[in-house]
Amino acid sequence: DAGVIQSPRHEVTEMGQEVTLRCKPISGHDYLFWYRQTMMRGLELLIYFNNNVPIDDSGMPEDRFSAKMPNASFSTLKIQPSEPRDSAVYFCASSPPLRGYNEQFFGPGTRLTVL
Amino acid sequence: DAKTTQPPSMDCAEGRAANLPCNHSTISGNEYVYWYRQIHSQGPQYIIHGLKNNETNEMASLIITEDRKSSTLILPHATLRDTAVYYCIVRAYTGTASKLTFGTGTRLQVTL
């Protein structure tokens, strides 16, 4: 099992540019989560999907952020336009069908730097 | 969700047991205790979870007090690779997937 796959691993862009982060969850998992981690705010949930449908997007900071999950094996997080304060590590995680507890498997993260 | 309190940092000698405490005095009956860890520059990793009974797996043991107001994660023989930030999270099972709220955790430093 390859685990959760994220790309790119590192992204450096200039303010105002569009950024797209990608995630491939573990096969068979039906939940997908996007988190953001910064020194100031720690690890915070942005949005999560169940069976490709967004369930809770209350953590999405503003309209510049959007996430999609067109199928069970792919999700994107897009920032348009990007700003320096968006610099962070973005993690994708997936979770198998519920078994009464919440074991999430995290990817290696994408380190985003907006200049 | 119940709030958790963890010491900000701990040290442990390699080969010794690392005992990481967590207080969750406001925990309610349907809330699980989860432990995750994050090794530097990696994504968080699930370790173990429990409801009321002590639990053990290949990574660690989880000891939950009888009143469930606190718990201890035990790494029986810590190695340098166990150096990480350890998060104690309390979350109810609501029948749907629920977000994990990560606090500041305990930074465990394993030394030679």
Side-chain angles (χ1 to χ4, degrees), chain A residues 100-114:
Chain A
Y101 58 92
N102 207 344
E103 180 182 6
Q104 296 181 16
F105 296 80
F106 284 75
T110 295
R111 182 173 296 277
L112 173 65
T113 302
V114 183

PDB file of all heavy atoms in Angstrom, chain A residues 100-114:
ATOM      1  N   GLY A 100     -16.328   3.106  14.022  1.00  0.00           N
ATOM      2  CA  GLY A 100     -16.593   3.557  15.379  1.00  0.00           C
ATOM      3  C   GLY A 100     -15.488   4.418  15.946  1.00  0.00           C
ATOM      4  O   GLY A 100     -15.595   4.946  17.027  1.00  0.00           O
ATOM      5  N   TYR A 101     -14.406   4.557  15.203  1.00  0.00           N
ATOM      6  CA  TYR A 101     -13.377   5.469  15.657  1.00  0.00           C
ATOM      7  C   TYR A 101     -12.756   6.135  14.450  1.00  0.00           C
ATOM      8  O   TYR A 101     -13.132   5.860  13.322  1.00  0.00           O
ATOM      9  CB  TYR A 101     -12.325   4.760  16.508  1.00  0.00           C
ATOM     10  CG  TYR A 101     -11.618   3.615  15.822  1.00  0.00           C
ATOM     11  CD1 TYR A 101     -10.428   3.807  15.139  1.00  0.00           C
ATOM     12  CD2 TYR A 101     -12.141   2.345  15.866  1.00  0.00           C
ATOM     13  CE1 TYR A 101      -9.775   2.767  14.524  1.00  0.00           C
ATOM     14  CE2 TYR A 101     -11.500   1.293  15.254  1.00  0.00           C
ATOM     15  CZ  TYR A 101     -10.305   1.507  14.587  1.00  0.00           C
ATOM     16  OH  TYR A 101      -9.672   0.467  13.982  1.00  0.00           O
ATOM     17  N   ASN A 102     -11.813   6.981  14.686  1.00  0.00           N
ATOM     18  CA  ASN A 102     -11.425   7.939  13.663  1.00  0.00           C
ATOM     19  C   ASN A 102      -9.941   7.847  13.339  1.00  0.00           C
ATOM     20  O   ASN A 102      -9.181   8.739  13.653  1.00  0.00           O
ATOM     21  CB  ASN A 102     -11.768   9.348  14.161  1.00  0.00           C
ATOM     22  CG  ASN A 102     -12.014  10.288  13.007  1.00  0.00           C
ATOM     23  OD1 ASN A 102     -11.651  10.000  11.882  1.00  0.00           O
ATOM     24  ND2 ASN A 102     -12.628  11.406  13.293  1.00  0.00           N
ATOM     25  N   GLU A 103      -9.532   6.752  12.757  1.00  0.00           N
ATOM     26  CA  GLU A 103      -8.141   6.584  12.370  1.00  0.00           C
ATOM     27  C   GLU A 103      -7.923   7.222  11.015  1.00  0.00           C
ATOM     28  O   GLU A 103      -8.537   6.812  10.038  1.00  0.00           O
ATOM     29  CB  GLU A 103      -7.802   5.096  12.311  1.00  0.00           C
ATOM     30  CG  GLU A 103      -6.376   4.785  11.912  1.00  0.00           C
ATOM     31  CD  GLU A 103      -6.131   3.290  11.820  1.00  0.00           C
ATOM     32  OE1 GLU A 103      -7.102   2.530  11.966  1.00  0.00           O
ATOM     33  OE2 GLU A 103      -4.983   2.893  11.598  1.00  0.00           O
ATOM     34  N   GLN A 104      -7.096   8.245  10.993  1.00  0.00           N
ATOM     35  CA  GLN A 104      -6.814   8.941   9.750  1.00  0.00           C
ATOM     36  C   GLN A 104      -5.365   8.695   9.342  1.00  0.00           C
ATOM     37  O   GLN A 104      -4.468   8.708  10.178  1.00  0.00           O
ATOM     38  CB  GLN A 104      -7.089  10.441   9.893  1.00  0.00           C
ATOM     39  CG  GLN A 104      -8.563  10.745  10.161  1.00  0.00           C
ATOM     40  CD  GLN A 104      -8.857  12.219  10.275  1.00  0.00           C
ATOM     41  OE1 GLN A 104      -8.064  13.071   9.884  1.00  0.00           O
ATOM     42  NE2 GLN A 104     -10.027  12.530  10.812  1.00  0.00           N
ATOM     43  N   PHE A 105      -5.166   8.521   8.045  1.00  0.00           N
ATOM     44  CA  PHE A 105      -3.848   8.267   7.493  1.00  0.00           C
ATOM     45  C   PHE A 105      -3.426   9.513   6.720  1.00  0.00           C
ATOM     46  O   PHE A 105      -4.090   9.907   5.771  1.00  0.00           O
ATOM     47  CB  PHE A 105      -3.882   7.050   6.568  1.00  0.00           C
ATOM     48  CG  PHE A 105      -4.233   5.778   7.271  1.00  0.00           C
ATOM     49  CD1 PHE A 105      -5.549   5.466   7.562  1.00  0.00           C
ATOM     50  CD2 PHE A 105      -3.247   4.879   7.639  1.00  0.00           C
ATOM     51  CE1 PHE A 105      -5.889   4.286   8.217  1.00  0.00           C
ATOM     52  CE2 PHE A 105      -3.566   3.687   8.285  1.00  0.00           C
ATOM     53  CZ  PHE A 105      -4.887   3.399   8.575  1.00  0.00           C
ATOM     54  N   PHE A 106      -2.323  10.091   7.137  1.00  0.00           N
ATOM     55  CA  PHE A 106      -1.879  11.350   6.560  1.00  0.00           C
ATOM     56  C   PHE A 106      -0.834  11.140   5.464  1.00  0.00           C
ATOM     57  O   PHE A 106      -0.007  10.220   5.543  1.00  0.00           O
ATOM     58  CB  PHE A 106      -1.274  12.248   7.640  1.00  0.00           C
ATOM     59  CG  PHE A 106      -2.289  12.905   8.525  1.00  0.00           C
ATOM     60  CD1 PHE A 106      -2.946  12.189   9.514  1.00  0.00           C
ATOM     61  CD2 PHE A 106      -2.596  14.257   8.368  1.00  0.00           C
ATOM     62  CE1 PHE A 106      -3.884  12.788  10.331  1.00  0.00           C
ATOM     63  CE2 PHE A 106      -3.534  14.869   9.185  1.00  0.00           C
ATOM     64  CZ  PHE A 106      -4.170  14.140  10.168  1.00  0.00           C
ATOM     65  N   GLY A 107      -0.874  12.037   4.486  1.00  0.00           N
ATOM     66  CA  GLY A 107       0.158  12.073   3.474  1.00  0.00           C
ATOM     67  C   GLY A 107       1.370  12.836   3.975  1.00  0.00           C
ATOM     68  O   GLY A 107       1.375  13.349   5.095  1.00  0.00           O
ATOM     69  N   PRO A 108       2.408  12.951   3.135  1.00  0.00           N
ATOM     70  CA  PRO A 108       3.656  13.595   3.547  1.00  0.00           C
ATOM     71  C   PRO A 108       3.562  15.114   3.564  1.00  0.00           C
ATOM     72  O   PRO A 108       4.450  15.776   4.108  1.00  0.00           O
ATOM     73  CB  PRO A 108       4.655  13.128   2.499  1.00  0.00           C
ATOM     74  CG  PRO A 108       3.815  12.883   1.295  1.00  0.00           C
ATOM     75  CD  PRO A 108       2.505  12.360   1.795  1.00  0.00           C
ATOM     76  N   GLY A 109       2.506  15.663   2.984  1.00  0.00           N
ATOM     77  CA  GLY A 109       2.329  17.110   2.999  1.00  0.00           C
ATOM     78  C   GLY A 109       2.925  17.812   1.798  1.00  0.00           C
ATOM     79  O   GLY A 109       3.821  17.288   1.121  1.00  0.00           O
ATOM     80  N   THR A 110       2.397  18.997   1.529  1.00  0.00           N
ATOM     81  CA  THR A 110       2.951  19.908   0.520  1.00  0.00           C
ATOM     82  C   THR A 110       3.352  21.184   1.232  1.00  0.00           C
ATOM     83  O   THR A 110       2.520  21.824   1.868  1.00  0.00           O
ATOM     84  CB  THR A 110       1.920  20.243  -0.574  1.00  0.00           C
ATOM     85  OG1 THR A 110       1.596  19.074  -1.312  1.00  0.00           O
ATOM     86  CG2 THR A 110       2.477  21.305  -1.522  1.00  0.00           C
ATOM     87  N   ARG A 111       4.622  21.517   1.127  1.00  0.00           N
ATOM     88  CA  ARG A 111       5.099  22.768   1.739  1.00  0.00           C
ATOM     89  C   ARG A 111       4.947  23.887   0.725  1.00  0.00           C
ATOM     90  O   ARG A 111       5.612  23.902  -0.315  1.00  0.00           O
ATOM     91  CB  ARG A 111       6.548  22.637   2.178  1.00  0.00           C
ATOM     92  CG  ARG A 111       7.097  23.904   2.867  1.00  0.00           C
ATOM     93  CD  ARG A 111       8.488  23.672   3.427  1.00  0.00           C
ATOM     94  NE  ARG A 111       8.485  22.678   4.480  1.00  0.00           N
ATOM     95  CZ  ARG A 111       8.188  22.917   5.752  1.00  0.00           C
ATOM     96  NH1 ARG A 111       7.886  24.151   6.129  1.00  0.00           N
ATOM     97  NH2 ARG A 111       8.248  21.961   6.656  1.00  0.00           N
ATOM     98  N   LEU A 112       4.058  24.821   1.022  1.00  0.00           N
ATOM     99  CA  LEU A 112       3.762  25.940   0.120  1.00  0.00           C
ATOM    100  C   LEU A 112       4.402  27.214   0.643  1.00  0.00           C
ATOM    101  O   LEU A 112       4.222  27.567   1.813  1.00  0.00           O
ATOM    102  CB  LEU A 112       2.257  26.149  -0.011  1.00  0.00           C
ATOM    103  CG  LEU A 112       1.810  27.384  -0.794  1.00  0.00           C
ATOM    104  CD1 LEU A 112       2.220  27.267  -2.259  1.00  0.00           C
ATOM    105  CD2 LEU A 112       0.303  27.596  -0.676  1.00  0.00           C
ATOM    106  N   THR A 113       5.133  27.862  -0.224  1.00  0.00           N
ATOM    107  CA  THR A 113       5.720  29.166   0.086  1.00  0.00           C
ATOM    108  C   THR A 113       5.221  30.166  -0.941  1.00  0.00           C
ATOM    109  O   THR A 113       5.413  29.964  -2.148  1.00  0.00           O
ATOM    110  CB  THR A 113       7.254  29.126   0.049  1.00  0.00           C
ATOM    111  OG1 THR A 113       7.723  28.145   0.985  1.00  0.00           O
ATOM    112  CG2 THR A 113       7.842  30.484   0.414  1.00  0.00           C
ATOM    113  N   VAL A 114       4.558  31.208  -0.451  1.00  0.00           N
ATOM    114  CA  VAL A 114       4.066  32.268  -1.336  1.00  0.00           C
ATOM    115  C   VAL A 114       4.893  33.521  -1.065  1.00  0.00           C
ATOM    116  O   VAL A 114       4.889  34.045   0.045  1.00  0.00           O
ATOM    117  CB  VAL A 114       2.568  32.549  -1.109  1.00  0.00           C
ATOM    118  CG1 VAL A 114       2.085  33.609  -2.096  1.00  0.00           C
ATOM    119  CG2 VAL A 114       1.751  31.276  -1.249  1.00  0.00           C
TER     120      VAL A 114
END
